Amino acid sequence: MRSHSTTIFRYPTEKHLLESGLINREEMELFRKIQVNVDPHQKWFVPINWIQTMMIRCFERGTLSHTNELRVLLDALEKYRNGFFQLFIYDWIAIPLVYTQVSTISVYGYFAFALIGRQFPSQNEYREVVDLYVPVFTILQFLFYVGWLKVGEDLMFPFGADDEDFEFNYILERNLEMAYLIVDDLHNQVPPVYVESLDDKVKLMHTKASIQLSNHPQRQHLRKYKLDPGAMKISRKPSLRKGNTIDLNIFFQRHFLSKKFTSY
């Protein structure tokens, strides 16, 4: 994540990862020994490979008693790897620079010429000279076009430090806290259950604010529709059959579409 997000400011080097406890010295030495000739900086898959190897060893030692447990863990690890790889591809294959340059030059160049070309008064259909002191439509065009351009520039890199970007610091801290909470505090934790508590009746309460809210229960469209006594009789006329099956289209046209439905 350090290669394509603002976490590079929090952990600029591998030494910062070591001091924070995210990696120990043995893992750091093993990580540095791995050589990638094509791109030596992209070794993000190495910890995922370590986790996969640890899962297989746990299964071989009997910690995971069934192959389904191993399969579930490997599937979860694969989903994590695919999601991270999509982020890596999104950061790697960016919008070509020529597109952004053409869009920026076109927008600002258009309004540079419009600023000069729209200063002269024009004539209406009655050949009267109309001189607008405030170019309202030009101002609206400038706000719309430049606004769309700025929105496109922000969407190009959603991993920055703007208010609309992803909060990687919050995501990192929350995931770490939830991981420790699930493993340490919530492991094998169940609230006490008493037999007497099973007989207690639950009463749903309302406040003065919630009771004023409108309630819209689910309603079926045909709940009030009633067939005529003659339509409910079993009929085996040849016109309702095609071979050995009943043609439901003819049945609905005769008994439903010719009548008015009452929905509510």
Side-chain angles (χ1 to χ4, degrees):
M1 299 300 293
R2 295 188 304 121
S3 60
H4 55 267
S5 66
T6 54
T7 52
I8 189 66
F9 299 105
R10 189 169 184 175
Y11 304 104
T13 61
E14 297 176 354
K15 183 179 179 181
H16 292 80
L17 295 175
L18 181 62
E19 293 179 354
S20 63
L22 294 176
I23 190 172
N24 54 34
R25 295 187 180 276
E26 291 78 8
E27 294 173 347
M28 179 66 70
E29 293 177 359
L30 185 60
F31 186 79
R32 290 177 177 176
K33 290 180 181 179
I34 299 174
Q35 300 295 331
V36 180
N37 297 325
V38 178
D39 194 353
H41 300 286
Q42 301 299 337
K43 296 187 291 185
W44 54 269
F45 60 91
V46 174
I48 299 178
N49 191 29
W50 291 347
I51 298 174
Q52 181 180 358
T53 305
M54 292 175 62
M55 291 179 182
I56 296 175
R57 290 183 179 179
C58 289
F59 176 74
E60 293 175 351
R61 295 174 182 175
T63 306
L64 300 176
S65 59
H66 201 275
T67 55
N68 291 335
E69 298 177 356
L70 179 62
R71 183 72 267 170
V72 170
L73 294 176
L74 291 178
D75 290 341
L77 183 63
E78 183 182 3
K79 291 181 181 179
Y80 174 78
R81 187 262 180 194
N82 293 335
F84 189 84
F85 187 70
Q86 287 181 358
L87 290 178
F88 177 76
I89 293 297
Y90 185 86
D91 181 69
W92 179 25
I93 305 176
I95 299 176
L97 185 60
V98 64
Y99 291 171
T100 59
Q101 291 177 347
V102 169
S103 301
T104 305
I105 294 175
S106 299
V107 171
Y108 287 104
Y110 171 78
F111 285 105
F113 288 108
L115 182 63
I116 300 174
R118 296 184 182 180
Q119 291 181 357
F120 302 98
S122 59
Q123 294 181 353
N124 56 12
E125 62 271 14
Y126 302 105
R127 294 186 177 181
E128 297 177 352
V129 178
V130 179
D131 189 3
L132 297 177
Y133 295 97
V134 179
V136 180
F137 294 102
T138 304
I139 294 175
L140 292 177
Q141 285 182 344
F142 180 80
L143 294 177
F144 293 154
Y145 292 164
V146 175
W148 290 334
L149 180 63
K150 295 299 181 181
V151 170
E153 292 176 354
D154 291 337
L155 293 178
M156 286 178 57
F157 185 68
F159 308 118
D162 296 334
D163 295 336
E164 297 82 8
D165 296 334
F166 292 103
E167 297 290 342
F168 275 99
N169 288 327
Y170 167 76
I171 294 174
L172 182 62
E173 293 177 358
R174 185 186 183 279
N175 289 344
L176 182 61
E177 183 180 1
M178 291 298 106
Y180 280 116
L181 184 64
I182 293 173
V183 174
D184 296 336
D185 298 338
L186 298 181
H187 176 66
N188 200 19
Q189 183 187 92
V190 178
V193 179
Y194 303 99
V195 179
E196 293 80 4
S197 62
L198 299 177
D199 298 332
D200 297 339
K201 294 183 179 180
V202 179
K203 297 180 180 179
L204 299 179
M205 301 176 61
H206 265 294
T207 61
K208 292 183 178 180
S210 64
I211 201 171
Q212 296 178 359
L213 298 176
S214 59
N215 189 15
H216 301 283
Q218 182 182 5
R219 296 180 179 180
Q220 289 74 26
H221 290 81
L222 301 179
R223 71 186 190 281
K224 293 184 179 180
Y225 183 79
K226 295 181 180 180
L227 290 173
D228 297 334
M232 291 187 291
K233 294 181 180 180
I234 299 176
S235 177
R236 299 185 180 276
K237 293 182 180 180
S239 59
L240 293 178
R241 289 178 173 271
K242 285 186 178 181
N244 295 326
T245 59
I246 297 177
D247 191 354
L248 296 179
N249 294 326
I250 300 177
F251 179 78
F252 278 104
Q253 289 178 3
R254 288 187 177 182
H255 298 284
F256 287 90
L257 299 181
S258 61
K259 303 178 184 297
K260 294 183 179 180
F261 289 92
T262 304
S263 299
Y264 297 97

